[in-house]
Amino acid sequence: QVLLVESGGGPVQAGGSLRLSCTSPGRTLRSYIMAWFRQAPGKEREFVAAITWRGDGIYYADSVKGRFTISRDSAKMPVYLQMNNLKPEDTAVYSCAAGGAMGSDYYTYFTHYDHWGQGTQVTVSS
């Protein structure tokens, strides 16, 4: 069983920044695709960003391009999500996910990820 633990969420004003971290105690999760999803109240789970285990493939949802950055150090954990210029519509529970090998066309589909963290709340006030 892969345990994923997120941290770094919290309240922030619009225009501010937060950095989320996703760790897996005792594991590097080499060969896994790592991703961040988010879910706001009353809305479906939404893809945010994904990164390959080498870090050579990075993908973002259009809604966060230019504001969010996903990263990981040399195919290790943790995986980070740097969120800048936050907007009220970014308010959601952000969850880290790990998935096995998959084509890049599937990175945005939460059903292709096998392991999930509990999530961390991000609340952006205007």
Side-chain angles (χ1 to χ4, degrees), residues 8 13 15 17 23 33 36 39 41 51 57 64 72 74 77 79 88-89 93-95 98 115 123:
Q13 290 191 329
S17 298
T23 61
I33 305 297
W36 289 94
Q39 189 166 19
I51 187 168
V64 306
R72 68 191 304 182
S74 302
M77 297 295 282
V79 174
E89 51 264 43
V93 174
Y94 285 71
S95 298
H115 309 287
T123 303

Side-chain angles (χ1 to χ4, degrees), residues 8-65:
V12 64
Q13 290 191 329
S17 298
L18 286 173
R19 189 176 81 155
L20 306 184
S21 296
C22 173
T23 61
S24 184
R27 302 189 67 154
T28 60
L29 293 187
R30 287 169 60 93
S31 79
Y32 278 84
I33 305 297
M34 299 300 301
W36 289 94
F37 286 78
R38 67 186 182 185
Q39 189 166 19
K43 294 188 177 181
E44 295 186 353
R45 194 173 336 193
E46 176 187 23
F47 170 79
V48 176
I51 187 168
T52 56
W53 73 274
R54 285 195 180 95
D56 55 350
I58 293 177
Y59 303 84
Y60 295 102
D62 288 342
S63 58
V64 306
K65 278 181 184 176

